[in-house]
Amino acid sequence: DDIPPLVWEVPRNEKHGDIAINFPLLLAKKIKQPPVKIAQSLVRFLSSDIGIEKVEVAGPGFINFFFKADFWHQQLKEIQGLGHNYGKLNWGEGEKVLVEYVSANPTGPLHIGHGRGAAVGEALANLMSAVGYKVTREYYINDVGTQMEILGRSLLFRYFELLNRAKKFPENHYQGEYIIDIAKEIISKFGGEFLNLPEEEAISFFNNYGKDYILQRIRKDLKDFKINFDLWASEEELHKQGAIEGTIEELKNSGWVYKKDGALWFKSQKLGDDKDRVLIKENGDYTYFASDIAYHRNKIKRGFKRIINVWGADHHGYIPRLKAAIKVLSQDGGIALEVVLVQLVNLQRKGVPVVMSTRQGEFITLQEVIDEVGEDSARYIFLTRRTDAHLDFDLETAQKQNDENPVYYVQYAHARICQIIKFAEERGFTLKKDNDIVDLSPLKLPYELALIKKLSFYPQLISNSARALEPHRVTGYLQELVSLFHNYYHQGKVSGKKRVVTEDKTLSLARLYLVDAMRIVIRNALNILGVNAPEKM
């Protein structure tokens, strides 16, 4: 019972095998035997496998596997057989998972930080889908509360200013040029209709108008960035449906709330938070936390037992209190909340920080970045580092058409392969996809076998990335894979020999089969990232 899982890894040094396992080390404590002895016993059973060339016991209890060339050739046939499904797994077994990301307040345009969160969220959703989950992508609109009131008041003050009835503009209100643009549009449609309206009534109109205007822009920016949500959830709708009141009642009935100093508190400290949290203020207003609990209760009621939130790193302290609330709401403990924190983006131009946008006055918008470097470069670069690490994004590098630009480096490899296949077809070499007749025995060069091995590990890469919720592993894999391909291709040029299409038909067809498998894997991986795989560049 309780046998540790069998996990394999690719050794950094090829002398240590094609794959290695440390299973004997993990099993030693369970059965109270030396790990080397366990390894030696296992090797006797494993070495007879027809695909294995040899198995070695190494170090304190590692087992290193070396596979025959035929074994790797068979992996190529699997890639060709599965095509666009290669790398797709089913350990999610159709379980519903909700991935919520971006969820920026509708008080201003999306900035570059939101862009990184969007790229991460979309890639995570794609990864979860690839391993067999039924994924719902959702954007949560925080359209209630103080920030929305400030938006309405900001617009009203600019409205008065543009109509020569200026009021002193509060420092803590929204200063961006977009506020003036919205106020101008209101004037073009309604003139001075709101000049003599009671301020509270006018703010309500400006609030709703501004929210709708900004949301429309957010939707457009996300569409331009190829981000598509299944659902747009609204905090205002939760209020209208009585979901916040219902949530408070459920928490009261569970015994996890109390009153103090005129406010209603949640006992989050007993569940891992650093202190208890207010749900209802002294003045009777709900806190943002109360709304967020209601929103997650809504997720649970929709049947999601696995919930993934992609948040900005500044929300780090919010995680324990929300997890505490979910523990109470899911009494059977069957709800899993996972939060992926996304750090800030440091925008640069030729290594020099870009401080602010000439248009917005406060920040660089996502649309400005898309317009300058394109959505593919932006998305790929956003995904090149761990989400919990700051990202340096250089606008000049993102536009380069050379190896310095990571997305160009990968896309160019895909396009080069497509052109190789086209070149071969023009010379009468038709790529054979029939796995029963293709002869792969000529694929013997170290670079060829290294490429095949890397391609073979793609499904494991997808599985590991999904389990760890780390899409940056996919870009890292692509950079390594494409580096192997470029080295392989250029080795032919250096030696003066044609690398793929040669005078030897059997060799040419085998190499075409290999590079086409490369094309399939690059395309599939780029699809996970939401990046195009061009056939020409």
Side-chain angles (χ1 to χ4, degrees):
D1 294 335
D2 196 24
I3 295 176
L6 183 63
V7 179
W8 57 268
E9 61 182 31
V10 182
R12 292 186 179 182
N13 188 336
E14 61 182 20
K15 292 180 180 179
H16 298 156
D18 296 317
I19 65 171
I21 62 172
N22 66 347
F23 183 71
L25 290 166
L26 302 175
L27 190 61
K29 288 184 179 179
K30 298 289 181 184
I31 64 175
K32 298 180 180 179
Q33 288 189 25
V36 172
K37 184 178 179 181
I38 297 171
Q40 289 170 344
S41 298
L42 289 172
V43 163
R44 286 197 293 270
F45 293 99
L46 296 169
S47 58
S48 61
D49 189 286
I50 58 172
I52 296 175
E53 185 172 307
K54 65 176 178 176
V55 185
E56 294 179 346
V57 176
F62 287 89
I63 302 178
N64 299 336
F65 295 81
F66 299 79
F67 293 100
K68 298 175 183 177
D70 288 349
F71 172 85
W72 296 116
H73 296 160
Q74 197 60 40
Q75 306 312 304
L76 276 188
K77 293 182 178 182
E78 182 178 349
I79 295 170
Q80 290 286 3
L82 290 172
H84 70 273
N85 287 318
Y86 182 66
K88 291 185 179 179
L89 308 166
N90 195 37
W91 50 259
E93 297 182 331
E95 180 185 339
K96 291 173 62 177
V97 60
L98 180 67
V99 184
E100 180 217 328
Y101 49 109
V102 187
S103 297
N105 293 343
T107 54
L110 296 178
H111 55 62
I112 189 170
H114 295 132
R116 188 181 186 191
V120 169
E122 189 79 0
L124 281 174
N126 292 340
L127 276 171
M128 300 309 288
S129 180
V131 297
Y133 284 92
K134 184 178 180 182
V135 179
T136 297
R137 298 160 168 83
E138 187 157 289
Y139 186 117
Y140 179 53
I141 308 167
N142 295 106
D143 49 1
V144 173
T146 304
Q147 297 305 311
M148 298 307 300
E149 293 175 12
I150 292 175
L151 172 67
R153 192 174 289 108
S154 301
L155 286 169
L156 179 64
F157 276 52
R158 290 303 187 205
Y159 172 83
F160 272 92
E161 188 178 90
L162 290 167
L163 291 173
N164 300 314
R165 297 274 291 273
K167 295 184 177 184
K168 185 178 179 182
F169 200 90
E171 290 184 5
N172 66 339
H173 282 40
Y174 296 109
Q175 307 281 339
E177 187 75 19
Y178 68 95
I179 294 293
I180 296 173
D181 292 342
I182 301 172
K184 285 179 178 178
E185 182 173 292
I186 292 173
I187 291 171
S188 71
K189 290 182 178 181
F190 301 98
E193 185 177 325
F194 303 101
L195 287 172
N196 299 314
L197 206 64
E199 185 171 296
E200 187 175 331
E201 189 176 337
I203 287 175
S204 176
F205 169 82
F206 280 78
N207 180 334
N208 289 323
Y209 193 97
K211 178 185 75 172
D212 292 342
Y213 180 102
I214 292 169
L215 269 178
Q216 185 177 4
R217 177 169 176 177
I218 286 173
R219 287 176 183 266
K220 179 187 179 301
D221 289 352
L222 290 171
K223 184 178 180 182
D224 290 346
F225 202 41
K226 297 190 297 184
I227 304 291
N228 298 294
F229 289 97
D230 300 306
L231 294 171
W232 292 69
S234 164
E235 182 180 358
E236 185 178 32
E237 284 300 312
L238 290 176
H239 279 269
K240 288 179 181 179
Q241 295 165 7
I244 289 83
E245 292 95 326
T247 301
I248 298 295
E249 283 303 310
E250 185 172 336
L251 293 174
K252 283 180 179 178
N253 293 335
S254 69
W256 284 91
V257 299
Y258 63 93
K259 284 190 175 181
K260 178 184 174 183
D261 300 329
L264 189 70
W265 296 72
F266 174 57
K267 301 176 184 178
S268 54
Q269 188 172 15
K270 288 185 176 181
L271 294 165
D273 197 4
D274 58 347
K275 62 181 179 180
D276 291 344
R277 304 290 174 175
V278 175
L279 298 173
I280 302 179
K281 302 175 186 177
E282 290 180 65
N283 63 5
D285 289 344
Y286 294 115
T287 61
Y288 282 115
F289 181 44
S291 295
D292 279 343
I293 298 174
Y295 173 45
H296 284 79
R297 176 173 174 257
N298 174 270
K299 292 180 180 181
I300 294 169
K301 286 185 173 294
R302 282 186 275 152
F304 293 102
K305 291 193 173 182
R306 188 169 188 188
I307 299 166
I308 300 172
N309 292 349
V310 180
W311 287 349
D314 56 335
H315 287 72
H316 181 271
Y318 213 81
I319 299 172
R321 71 189 77 167
L322 190 55
K323 285 193 172 183
I326 286 179
K327 279 183 184 177
V328 174
L329 294 173
S330 59
Q331 296 177 1
D332 61 355
I335 307 300
L337 170 65
E338 298 158 280
V339 179
V340 176
L341 295 175
V342 181
Q343 273 289 358
L344 299 174
V345 179
N346 304 314
L347 197 65
Q348 301 175 345
R349 192 183 299 279
K350 294 184 178 178
V352 178
V354 177
V355 179
M356 63 175 59
S357 162
T358 55
R359 172 65 177 157
Q360 301 302 330
E362 296 174 351
F363 48 77
I364 300 294
T365 68
L366 174 60
Q367 190 62 57
E368 286 175 302
V369 174
I370 295 172
D371 290 344
E372 185 162 348
V373 308
E375 69 271 13
D376 280 347
S377 280
R379 283 182 75 149
Y380 195 95
I381 292 172
F382 283 144
L383 295 166
T384 52
R385 296 206 68 195
R386 294 178 60 93
T387 60
D388 58 1
H390 284 81
L391 174 72
D392 292 330
F393 189 114
D394 194 294
L395 290 164
E396 294 294 323
T397 300
Q399 296 178 72
K400 288 182 177 179
Q401 295 191 354
N402 59 32
D403 294 356
E404 290 183 51
N405 182 352
V407 70
Y408 180 87
Y409 186 62
V410 173
Q411 288 180 320
Y412 183 71
H414 184 272
R416 170 175 273 173
I417 291 169
C418 291
Q419 293 308 303
I420 288 171
I421 293 171
K422 183 179 178 182
F423 174 83
E425 289 175 346
E426 289 172 351
R427 280 151 183 78
F429 292 90
T430 302
L431 181 63
K432 293 182 179 179
K433 295 295 187 92
D434 190 334
N435 287 340
D436 293 329
I437 63 172
V438 65
D439 181 6
L440 300 178
S441 61
L443 299 177
K444 298 174 181 177
L445 293 177
Y447 271 116
E448 291 167 344
L449 293 175
L451 273 173
I452 299 170
K453 291 174 186 178
K454 196 70 178 178
L455 295 172
S456 302
F457 296 141
Y458 176 70
Q460 186 70 20
L461 175 276
I462 294 300
S463 181
N464 291 343
S465 299
R467 290 188 192 280
L469 302 182
E470 293 183 345
H472 74 277
R473 296 189 186 197
V474 180
T475 57
Y477 170 87
L478 277 171
Q479 296 302 124
E480 293 172 4
L481 176 65
V482 168
S483 176
L484 283 172
F485 169 72
H486 285 311
N487 287 338
Y488 171 63
Y489 186 82
H490 287 296
Q491 281 291 320
K493 284 191 171 183
V494 170
S495 65
K497 298 177 181 178
K498 294 178 181 177
R499 176 48 69 202
V500 179
V501 181
T502 72
E503 288 72 24
D504 185 328
K505 184 175 182 181
T506 302
L507 176 61
S508 298
L509 290 174
R511 287 179 173 175
L512 279 172
Y513 197 87
L514 168 58
V515 297
D516 189 56
M518 277 279 305
R519 179 192 62 80
I520 291 170
V521 173
I522 293 173
R523 180 199 62 197
N524 291 357
L526 288 175
N527 284 342
I528 293 289
L529 304 175
V531 174
N532 286 311
E535 295 187 5
K536 287 183 179 180
M537 288 185 72

